[in-house]
Structure formats: structure tokens, C-alpha cells
């Protein structure tokens, strides 16, 4: 089954939310809006799935959103799309790759990548990130990835193959810890924003050899 | 290009953590190709934005996947970062039962010459090429970046294939410097096309300052109208400034050309 059909099946199973987006079935298609705008009738209506990019691009204050899973999706819009394929596109612009990641996780095929592996793969200006200590990494993740004001994804990766991530709340790491009907946003590997944020921290640590 | 309903196209862009201008052209080219219905599906992914190169394939249904880097030349990203992030082993990689076909970057296709020419003509309506100098501006001095070489090759092609009075490749940070445009050229009209994949600080701010159109770099790049006030009268010449070549809608065709070229090169 293709992703578009899988999304329709998820809706039939009772899923109606992903991140800060509520998905409502309408007569001819689907209505997407901010979860906090569920009952509003004064929303600006958009009709093309590509317009989801514009909605996701900036927050309510007009600031650019480099991380689409940050909890700052703007409000006041309703995006009406007509078929499963348009719905797939719109959701992929609002929460890039998040449906596919969830489906893969549910099917048992998602392979989270430990942070040390992600950092060890970096080249160029990010090669230095391998120098970050476990303690520094822990502090950085707790701040950078925090649910409130940081990122809504659930972290599935560990520090290294042997070391789990410590100090994060279960709400940040448990994919099942979401409201009923909510598709969890999953983090299978540290994103480039976190890798970039690790750079100045790692540079404080002298090279080991 | 013949239609490929059983294949997916994935366009890879650089993206940015500070503004939406970097990824916008990549998305727009993907939209344009998507509506033509040539591929079963069309996706974008980015180094600095979501979906990342690491994640994008999770949204892809097809098992036959063309990957086209939307980069201005071969270099660090196309040789190192993209292959590493996708886990590519060469032009063809089989991974998890899928065939990943890694195409050449957009900017190195020969048809870029046509795109540059189109952009220059569009910026100079009614201006005689024989009385016009054509300047391509590249970055120069990049780490393992061949964009300077690519710009030079394009200039050489334009010199032989068009009737522009002069064609030069210039750079922001290495000679021939774009800042010296007035002494590098002698034609009464000068058209300047940035050899960049998207508009950003270089094309909105830095190059206008180097050209003398702007006094100093201002803020709020995306809102600026630097491309709208052509021609600029400077040093007794008429200077026409175009936006980055990568924003030209014809780039969608170049992406398709890279797929076709991949098929020709790697015919089964
Ligand atoms: S590393 Fe994962 S959880 Fe942290 S900010 Fe990036 S995407 Fe969110």
C-alpha cells in the first residue's frame, strides 16, 4: 500500500492529529488546521497542498521556522485538500517525512541511529562535534530538544550503542506517550540543527590526541 | 523525457536555517515537475532543512529512485555529503530492495548555457547583445567547490555560441572580481547573472554592493527590490542585474535533462 492510502487508513483507525495539526474529514476531502483552532469559523482558507509550505514557513510572529517540528506552528488557517494524494503532500510539507517515519516505526522497521554514530559521520566543519562529551551532549539535548519551546519529536536514539540517553522525561522519549488519536512525531536520528548546535560546545573540549 | 510512472524523483537542495529563500526554488522546480506527471512521485530533501536526506526515502513509495542534486556544481556536497547521507556507493546503489540512481548536479549540465542566455535576455528586453557585456558571477574560493570552474566553462560556451560583445566569468572573492566590472568590460550595456542556485545574501546584498548598485548591505533580504530597477546607470553604462540563475523556472527542465542523461550513461 502506498503512503497516501496508509494515511487514509490511519484516519479510519481514529488518528486525527499530528503534531499541532488536526485533520478533519469533510464532504469532499480533508480540512487541516491548528489543533487550537478546531472550533473556529474565522480561519483564512487555503486550498492547494503546496500552500502548506507557506503555512509552515513562519511562526505567528513572522519568524522563520528552521525546524518544522518545533511547537510554534502558526494559527488562523485552514487548508482544504481534496484527495489522499493531496493530503499526503500537505502533511509532508507541514511535517516533512513524519508520516513515513511513523509508519516505518509502527511496522517495526525504523532503525534509530545513536548520536555518536551521527556525529562520527560528519565531515568538514562538523567533524569537530565528535569531541562533545557525554555530559555536554546530555545538557545540550535537554535544552535544544525540549518539548516546551524546542521540538515536539520523541527521541528514539541513544547516546551510543552502549549508552542510553539519560535525564530526559519519558514524555520526550516515549512514542506511545501521546494523546489518543495523535500520530507521534519521531526523531530517529539527531537532526542537523542539533549537530550544528553541538559544534560550539564540542569546540570547548580539546582534542584527545 | 519519457514518463516514468514507476520511478520517484528526489531533488536534493542545501536549504537554510535562517531563511526560506534557499529551499524555495528547489520546491518550486519539484512542483513544476510534479504537475507534469512524468514521475510516479516527486520529493525534495535538504541538508539544512526537513525532510533531511536521511529521512526523505521514508516517504517514497517507488523502488526506482532518481536523485538529482540541485547544486550549482560538483563539489563537497555532491561528492561527499549527499552520498554519505544517502549511503550511496556510486551512480547506482541498491539499498533495502531499492535502486538509487545518483545523477549529476543541475549546474553542471550543458543546457545551463541556454538557461543563462534566457535569463540575460529576459533582464535586458530590447537591448542589442552585440552592444552588451555578459557577466556571470560565481562565488569563488569555496572549499572543494568547482563552481568557479563551472562558471568559467559556461562563459566559454556563451562566448562561442552567442553574439554578446563580451562574456566573462567573474567572482565575488577572487579575480576577475565582479567589483571591477566597469574596467573588465567596455560595452555600453552590461548584464550580470549570479551563478547561484538560489537567491540569498550573496545575490540580494553582497553582489549589489560589489556592483555599486547599493551603498551597503541592507537588512530584510527577501523584501528587497534590487532586481526591479534595471537598468542602473553607473560609470556611464547601463547595468542590468538579474536574480540567481537557480530561480529560473527552466531549471526544472535541466533537472529532467540530468535524469535523461543518467539513463543514457547507465543504460542497462
Ligand atoms: S534532534 Fe530530534 S528531537 Fe532534537 S531538535 Fe532535532 S529533530 Fe527535534
Amino acid at each position: 500500500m502506498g503512503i497516501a492510502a496508509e494515511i487514509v487508513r490511519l484516519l479510519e483507525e481514529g488518528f486525527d492529529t499530528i503534531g499541532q495539526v488536526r485533520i478533519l474529514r469533510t464532504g469532499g476531502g480533508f480540512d487541516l488546521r491548528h489543533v487550537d483552532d478546531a472550533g473556529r469559523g474565522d480561519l483564512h482558507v487555503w486550498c492547494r497542498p503546496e500552500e502548506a509550505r507557506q503555512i509552515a514557513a513562519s511562526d505567528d510572529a513572522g519568524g522563520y521556522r528552521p525546524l518544522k517540528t518545533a511547537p510554534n506552528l502558526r494559527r488562523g488557517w485552514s487548508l482544504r485538500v481534496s484527495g489522499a494524494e493531496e493530503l499526503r503532500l500537505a502533511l509532508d510539507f507541514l511535517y516533512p517525512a513524519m508520516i513515513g517515519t511513523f509508519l516505518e516505526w509502527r511496522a517495526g522497521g525504523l532503525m534509530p541511529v545513536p548520536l555518536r554514530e551521527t556525529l562520527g559521520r560528519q565531515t568538514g566543519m562538523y567533524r569537530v562535534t565528535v569531541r562533545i562529551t557525554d555530559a555536554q551532549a546530555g545538557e545540550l539535548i535537554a535544552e535544544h530538544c525540549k518539548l516546551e519551546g524546542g521540538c515536539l519529536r520523541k527521541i528514539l536514539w541513544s547516546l551510543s550503542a552502549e549508552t542510553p540517553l539519560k535525564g530526559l522525561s519519558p514524555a520526550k522519549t516515549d512514542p506511545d506517550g501521546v494523546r489518543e488519536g495523535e500520530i507521534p512525531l519521531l526523531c530517529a536520528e539527531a537532526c542537523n540543527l542539533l549537530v550544528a548546535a553541538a559544534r560550539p560546545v564540542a569546540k570547548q573540549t580539546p582534542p584527545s590526541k | 523525457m519519457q514518463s516514468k510512472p514507476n520511478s520517484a524523483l528526489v531533488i536534493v537542495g542545501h536549504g537554510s536555517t535562517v531563511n526560506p529563500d534557499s529551499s524555495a526554488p528547489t520546491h518550486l522546480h519539484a512542483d513544476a515537475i510534479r504537475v507534469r506527471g512524468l514521475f510516479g512521485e516527486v520529493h525534495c530533501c535538504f541538508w539544512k532543512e526537513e525532510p533531511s536526506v536521511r529521512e526523505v526515502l521514508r516517504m517514497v513509495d517507488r523502488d526506482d529512485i532518481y536523485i538529482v542534486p540541485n547544486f550549482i556544481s560538483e563539489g563537497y556536497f555532491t561528492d561527499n555529503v549527499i552520498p554519505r547521507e544517502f549511503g550511496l556507493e556510486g551512480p547506482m546503489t541498491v539499498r533495502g530492495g531499492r535502486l538509487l540512481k545518483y545523477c549529476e548536479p543541475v549546474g553542471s549540465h550543458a543546457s545551463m548555457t541556454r538557461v543563462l542566455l534566457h535569463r540575460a535576455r529576459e533582464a535586458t528586453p530590447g537591448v542589442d547583445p552585440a552592444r552588451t557585456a555578459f557577466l556571470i558571477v560565481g562565488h569563488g574560493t569555496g572549499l572543494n567547490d568547482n563552481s568557479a570552474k563551472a562558471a568559467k566553462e559556461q562563459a566559454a560556451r556563451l562566448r562561442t555560441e552567442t553574439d554578446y560583445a563580451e562574456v566573462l566569468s567573474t567572482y565575488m572573492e577572487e579575480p576577475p572580481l565582479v567589483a571591477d566590472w566597469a574596467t573588465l568590460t567596455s560595452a555600453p550595456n552590461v548584464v550580470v547573472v549570479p551563478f547561484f542556485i538560489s537567491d540569498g545574501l550573496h545575490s540580494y546584498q553582497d553582489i549589489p554592493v560589489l556592483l555599486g548598485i547599493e551603498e551597503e548591505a541592507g537588512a530584510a533580504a527577501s523584501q528587497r527590490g534590487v532586481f526591479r530597477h534595471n537598468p542602473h546607470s553607473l560609470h556611464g553604462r547601463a547595468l542590468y542585474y538579474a536574480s540567481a540563475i537557480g530561480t529560473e523556472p527552466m531549471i526544472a527542465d535541466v533537472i529532467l535533462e540530468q535524469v535523461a542523461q543518467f539513463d543514457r550513461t547507465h543504460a542497462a
Side-chain angles (χ1 to χ4, degrees):
Chain A
M1 192 179 349
I3 306 255
E6 297 255 24
I7 294 173
V8 173
R9 197 163 73 168
L10 290 174
L11 299 183
E12 281 161 5
E13 278 176 41
F15 287 100
D16 66 357
T17 306
I18 176 164
Q20 293 178 287
V21 171
R22 175 70 39 82
I23 311 162
L24 308 163
R25 255 183 188 283
T26 59
F30 307 92
D31 173 301
L32 308 180
R33 55 180 64 194
H34 193 288
V35 281
D36 296 334
D37 288 338
R40 271 172 69 176
D42 59 340
L43 301 172
H44 181 98
V45 177
W46 305 75
C47 306
R48 295 176 51 237
E50 293 81 9
E51 287 168 336
R53 284 206 300 270
Q54 228 169 304
I55 294 168
S58 49
D59 59 23
D60 276 317
Y64 178 58
R65 297 175 72 229
L67 183 67
K68 302 298 178 248
T69 50
N72 59 354
L73 185 68
R74 71 192 222 209
R75 296 185 53 187
W77 54 273
S78 149
L79 176 63
R80 305 197 179 148
V81 295
S82 59
E85 189 50 40
E86 286 195 10
L87 177 62
R88 180 189 72 80
L89 259 186
L91 289 176
D92 203 27
F93 291 139
L94 291 166
Y95 287 116
M98 287 296 94
I99 295 276
T101 304
F102 171 69
L103 291 169
E104 211 165 298
W105 172 75
R106 220 164 61 138
L110 190 66
M111 303 281 274
V113 178
L115 180 67
R116 288 282 168 212
E117 211 175 290
T118 305
L119 299 183
R121 210 180 59 231
Q122 303 302 314
T123 54
M125 66 187 284
Y126 296 118
R127 191 191 289 278
V128 67
T129 57
V130 295
R131 282 201 234 147
I132 198 167
T133 65
D134 285 2
Q136 286 172 326
E139 269 176 47
L140 178 70
I141 295 159
E143 176 56 27
H144 187 92
C145 306
K146 63 178 185 239
L147 288 170
E148 303 78 23
C151 173
L152 294 171
R153 293 202 204 193
K154 311 281 187 185
I155 294 183
L156 303 181
W157 38 269
S158 56
L159 206 48
S160 68
E162 310 79 38
T163 327
L165 263 186
K166 280 176 257 150
L168 293 179
S169 69
K172 185 65 199 173
T173 52
D174 178 13
D176 293 315
V178 287
R179 197 187 59 78
E180 204 183 321
E182 184 176 337
I183 297 167
L185 302 169
L186 303 175
C187 182
E189 178 168 15
C191 69
N192 277 313
L193 288 166
L194 182 64
V195 173
R199 186 167 177 261
V201 181
K203 279 172 104 176
Q204 297 163 8
T205 312
S208 50
K209 303 187 261 303
Chain B
M1 200 195 82
Q2 76 190 91
S3 110
K4 297 175 175 292
N6 298 318
S7 302
L9 171 66
V10 176
I11 309 171
V12 191
H14 188 281
S16 159
T17 56
V18 288
N19 69 63
D21 298 327
S22 169
S23 61
T26 303
H27 278 300
L28 292 175
H29 303 322
D31 291 347
I33 296 172
R34 194 177 295 118
V35 295
R36 290 195 220 173
L38 291 168
F39 289 87
E41 50 192 305
V42 181
H43 300 262
C44 295
C45 65
F46 302 92
W47 167 235
K48 288 275 177 189
E49 286 178 43
E50 299 147 279
S52 70
V53 176
R54 305 283 294 173
E55 301 171 308
V56 66
L57 296 182
R58 297 196 191 115
M59 289 301 286
V60 177
D61 287 321
R62 309 303 191 278
D63 291 334
D64 188 67
I65 304 168
Y66 290 87
I67 299 169
V68 179
N70 192 25
F71 281 75
I72 204 66
S73 69
E74 282 168 21
Y76 176 61
F77 284 96
T78 61
D79 295 346
N80 180 319
V81 176
I82 298 171
R84 177 189 87 210
E85 297 291 290
F86 270 121
L88 302 177
E89 287 148 9
M92 298 225 223
T93 305
V94 178
R95 231 185 65 208
R98 298 168 133 188
L99 181 56
L100 307 181
K101 301 173 172 176
Y102 189 40
C103 307
E104 304 271 316
V106 164
S108 53
H109 195 273
S111 63
M112 282 300 281
T113 315
R114 224 168 51 218
V115 183
L116 285 162
L117 184 59
H118 176 85
R119 193 31 63 108
R121 290 265 147 90
E122 213 178 41
T124 56
V127 179
D128 180 8
R131 293 171 45 78
T132 306
F134 189 155
L135 255 62
I136 303 173
V137 196
H139 191 275
T141 67
L143 161 90
N144 178 19
D145 177 5
N146 298 313
S147 66
K149 188 170 147 257
K152 205 180 210 160
E153 286 168 7
Q154 289 299 338
R157 283 207 196 103
L158 285 163
R159 210 170 288 131
T160 53
E161 293 170 20
T162 68
D163 41 12
Y164 278 93
E166 305 158 85
V167 183
L168 273 106
S169 52
T170 60
Y171 307 98
M172 295 174 60
E173 293 179 353
E174 64 185 70
L177 289 167
V178 66
D180 297 334
W181 67 271
T183 47
L184 290 168
T185 62
S186 53
N189 307 299
V190 179
V191 60
V192 179
V193 181
F195 199 58
F196 290 92
I197 213 67
S198 62
D199 276 322
L201 295 184
H202 293 324
S203 61
Y204 284 130
Q205 300 190 352
D206 302 340
I207 300 172
V209 171
L210 293 171
L211 289 170
I213 299 174
E214 300 274 338
E215 296 275 298
E216 56 188 79
S222 338
Q223 314 305 328
R224 306 286 295 282
V226 284
F227 310 118
R228 278 181 237 125
H229 305 299
N230 285 326
H232 305 266
S233 296
L234 285 165
H235 303 285
R237 322 277 198 82
L239 179 74
Y240 297 80
Y241 183 50
S243 56
I245 193 63
T247 62
E248 168 55 46
M250 282 170 77
I251 294 288
D253 295 298
V254 181
I255 292 171
L256 298 176
E257 302 254 16
Q258 284 298 24
V259 169
Q261 180 164 311
F262 182 96
D263 284 345
R264 279 195 301 276
T265 315
H266 303 279

